[in-house]
Amino acid sequence: MALAAIAPLAAVAPPAHGDARRAPAADPAAAHPGAIASAYPLASQAGQEVLAKGGNAFDAAVAVSAALAVVEPTSSGIGGGGFYLLYRQSDGFETMLDAREKAPGAASRDMYLDKAGNPIARASIDGPLAAAIPGEPAAFDYLARRYGKLPLKVSLEPAIRLAREGFPLYPRLQAAIRYKRDLLLHSPDAARVFLTAERAVPELGAPIKQPELAATLEAIAAQGAKGFYAGRVAEDLVSGVRAGGGIWTLQDLAAYRVVERKPLVGEYHGARIVSASPPSSGGVALLDALNILAGFDLKVVDSGTRKHLVIEAMRRAYRDRAVYLGDPDFVTMPIARLTSQDYAAGQRASIRADKAMPSDLLPGVETAPVGLQTTHFSVLDASGNRVAGTLSINLFFGAGDMVAKTGVLLNDTMDDFSIKPGTPNVFGLVGNAQNDIAPNKRPLSSMTPTFVETPQGLMIIGTPGGSYIISMVLLGTLDYLDGMSAAQVVTAPRYHHQYLPDVVEYEKGALAENEIAQLEAMGHKLEQGSRLWGNMQVITLDLARGKVEAAADPRGEGEGLVY
Ligand code: DON
């Protein structure tokens, strides 16, 4: 069946790429409250505390990120990095802070391969050799100096207090400690913080205190980025990493810089989509998929066909991710083409209404559990400034190593590189030379902090979930534009296709029985995932009424606050 017969192509206006500065929202309209949604209540409250002290959304972003580093140490931290999408209401300026980790200067393309050229098991995942140079502390300094109103001393204060005084162990953190106990036992400092004196998993409610981390945060509060990237902390980091087999140098730390990059901007059925640019693949893949879908009228097709079309769009967008994307400072990428309507029209033409296209029919270059590692938060202040921040140390507790005397848990973000062409990483993602390892290069990410703007309102969205992040943000965008509330967007069951493996994975409840039958008849391979995925944090603003909603994903224990 020709698809056009059932869903005529809509006339679609070309997206406005590349102009990061724009007029403030046409009608900032009704006064509205501020809001914060983050993965843990103590972090949302830290942001609120800083706003109450006169901070803006950017100060709150520092406070929330730093508090998450303390209370959600599985997921992000000052030993990791991420992306902050910013919007400043006073002049409509929007930008992306790239605080992504960088490969150490001594890194090399084949560093995780043995002499025969085969990947060395877990080398890019566990221990200091898996750690890239962190970006988050540099982002704190940059956010505070360039965009915030308050000194770091004030915005880091709640995190320092939580690290020093401790917070009660909660179920998800306890489960993560249990899951990673063997790895944590390799690191005496991590074991001291996260396990009991008997090396057991602590009881729920036991206080988790991190005095070394408090001291490192204090150094950042007092000296800015230099408190981490130079001086005593830097020396301790380098000697700790090297003692554990890593390759960091003082020069690597001293040379780390946050980079401001233009966000990617696209358009979908009248909504303006602002999202992460490379070295995240998120925005490119999100716009690629939305552009493909923009030519269909998803409202007139039956629900099984709608899901089929969304899956086919995901397949093509993830394939482009694998083939084309990497660090913009190192490789050239056809971004304008990949996000153009003409390219999407070509992609769309290869989609049949009645049949799945096997991924190996698409020219190109292969999977794994998804948890609640990584973290996302959304902030909107009462002046209209916004932040969508997605931060990570990659897997649970990153590389599993806490560097002695610093309280810093090392990331294992080096695994986000393609360690060998075609060899899947821990998320099953494949890549090629575009994303191979080179000294000082940033590994390709899937983190997708995003703003969705319509004439009626806006949504600030993002989530953890490795390769699943992009498909979750895509589904959340479609759901919001279909009229769902923030709470409905974060709750809706999810499905995912990432090109390779050629399988649609879905959460319980995401596909109805009839849709399963319909999709299977089209040739889709379906697998119900054994667990829930994502930890989405969403804020929505209804411009006309000034109504703000903040919703935390019920899969986690986050909190959305409107104040
Ligand atoms: O940047 C990335 O794409 C990954 N390091 C994100 C890891 C992640 O979301 C883990 N969560 N389940």
Side-chain angles (χ1 to χ4, degrees):
M1 186 182 1
L3 197 54
I6 58 160
L9 297 186
V12 179
H17 291 297
D19 182 8
R21 189 179 284 270
R22 63 181 197 105
D27 178 12
H32 60 76
I36 299 171
S38 88
Y40 201 69
L42 289 168
S44 298
Q45 290 154 22
Q48 195 181 17
E49 186 179 322
V50 163
L51 287 166
K53 288 188 173 147
N56 61 16
F58 313 118
D59 298 304
V62 173
V64 174
S65 307
L68 286 168
V70 177
V71 300
E72 204 200 21
T74 48
S75 301
S76 72
I78 59 172
F83 300 97
Y84 295 83
L85 194 62
L86 314 180
Y87 172 77
R88 188 170 58 203
Q89 177 70 29
S90 58
D91 59 355
F93 177 71
E94 61 200 8
T95 189
M96 183 184 86
L97 274 201
D98 168 359
R100 180 68 161 166
E101 300 94 315
K102 283 176 75 161
S108 57
R109 193 192 62 184
D110 297 338
M111 64 186 279
Y112 300 115
L113 305 182
D114 64 17
K115 286 204 177 74
N118 299 316
I120 302 165
R122 305 197 71 81
S124 61
I125 297 175
D126 296 337
L129 188 60
I133 305 303
E136 198 169 305
F140 294 172
D141 186 336
Y142 197 93
L143 276 166
R145 279 190 296 112
R146 187 69 63 102
Y147 295 106
K149 291 179 14 188
L150 299 176
L152 283 176
K153 241 172 137 53
V154 178
S155 46
L156 292 180
E157 206 275 326
I160 293 169
R161 197 174 59 228
L162 287 163
R164 175 147 295 124
E165 294 173 10
F167 63 93
L169 182 62
Y170 56 93
R172 178 160 62 91
L173 181 53
Q174 187 192 47
I177 294 173
R178 188 171 292 119
Y179 176 61
K180 287 279 181 171
R181 180 174 167 272
D182 290 350
L183 181 64
L184 296 173
L185 279 170
H186 283 112
S187 165
D189 282 62
R192 198 177 58 246
V193 168
F194 299 116
L195 299 171
T196 66
E198 297 73 39
R199 297 150 78 88
V201 177
E203 305 272 297
L204 283 179
I208 302 294
K209 295 186 181 174
Q210 301 172 80
E212 292 86 357
L213 179 58
T216 299
L217 286 166
E218 273 169 343
I220 300 170
Q223 302 165 54
K226 284 202 169 65
F228 183 91
Y229 295 94
R232 191 217 29 107
V233 171
E235 280 158 23
D236 286 341
L237 284 168
V238 168
S239 60
V241 162
R242 296 186 80 88
I247 54 175
W248 291 13
T249 63
L250 285 171
Q251 166 61 19
D252 289 334
L253 287 170
Y256 186 87
R257 294 287 179 277
V258 161
V259 182
E260 274 200 56
R261 302 191 195 270
K262 267 187 182 177
L264 283 179
V265 180
E267 192 272 345
Y268 177 79
H269 288 313
R272 186 169 179 274
I273 315 292
V274 185
S275 193
S277 49
S280 174
S281 61
V284 177
L286 178 66
L287 294 185
D288 192 346
L290 286 170
N291 287 342
I292 294 171
L293 293 172
F296 301 122
D297 188 347
L298 296 180
K299 291 204 169 66
V300 306
V301 297
D302 63 80
S303 70
T305 301
R306 176 190 162 111
K307 286 176 176 161
H308 164 64
L309 296 174
V310 173
I311 291 163
E312 290 299 324
M314 289 174 180
R315 182 199 308 281
R316 284 157 180 78
Y318 276 90
R319 177 261 174 194
D320 287 344
R321 176 196 198 282
V323 173
Y324 294 111
L325 302 185
D327 181 350
D329 295 340
F330 282 75
V331 296
T332 51
M333 295 174 277
I335 303 297
R337 177 162 71 90
L338 294 178
T339 55
S340 79
Q341 299 294 339
D342 290 345
Y343 180 73
Q347 299 265 64
R348 196 157 53 232
S350 67
I351 299 180
R352 288 180 54 160
D354 57 346
K355 204 161 179 280
M357 175 186 262
S359 284
D360 57 15
L361 290 185
L362 289 174
V365 240
E366 268 203 25
T367 195
V370 188
L372 300 168
Q373 312 100 311
T374 301
T375 200
H376 175 85
F377 66 90
S378 296
V379 183
L380 172 71
D381 68 21
S383 306
N385 300 309
R386 315 171 206 149
V387 180
T390 311
L391 307 172
S392 188
I393 48 173
N394 202 24
L395 304 182
F396 276 132
F397 296 109
D401 195 85
M402 183 178 276
V403 181
K405 297 186 255 180
T406 66
V408 173
L409 272 168
L410 295 173
N411 69 78
D412 55 355
T413 304
M414 291 295 284
D415 191 63
D416 282 341
F417 280 116
S418 174
I419 64 171
K420 185 180 173 180
T423 297
N425 78 353
V426 75
F427 299 108
L429 291 165
V430 286
N432 56 18
Q434 291 286 80
N435 187 34
D436 64 7
I437 305 174
N440 306 313
K441 189 175 173 185
R442 286 161 149 93
L444 186 63
S445 172
S446 300
M447 294 188 277
T448 316
T450 297
F451 304 144
V452 179
E453 303 166 355
T454 72
Q456 295 75 37
L458 67 93
M459 173 172 71
I460 308 174
I461 182 172
T463 180
S467 58
Y468 295 59
I469 293 173
I470 302 166
S471 56
M472 286 188 261
V473 172
L474 172 65
L475 296 178
T477 301
L478 295 171
D479 289 344
Y480 172 67
L481 296 175
D482 276 353
M484 279 194 189
S485 68
Q488 288 170 321
V489 167
V490 297
T491 306
R494 294 161 183 153
Y495 55 97
H496 170 78
H497 192 293
Q498 62 177 46
Y499 166 57
L500 293 175
D502 192 351
V503 170
V504 179
E505 199 181 334
Y506 65 99
E507 278 182 312
K508 191 168 187 288
L511 302 176
E513 287 303 316
N514 65 316
E515 292 169 348
I516 292 174
Q518 195 178 346
L519 290 166
E520 283 180 342
M522 291 177 185
H524 289 287
K525 284 173 257 148
L526 305 180
E527 268 173 25
Q528 185 178 317
S530 54
R531 47 179 152 170
L532 307 170
W533 69 70
N535 196 7
M536 189 177 273
Q537 312 295 328
V538 165
I539 292 174
T540 57
L541 166 63
D542 176 330
L543 281 171
R545 291 187 296 154
K547 182 166 183 281
V548 171
E549 280 183 47
D553 199 315
R555 294 161 187 80
E557 59 282 273
E559 183 171 43
L561 295 174
V562 177
Y563 58 91

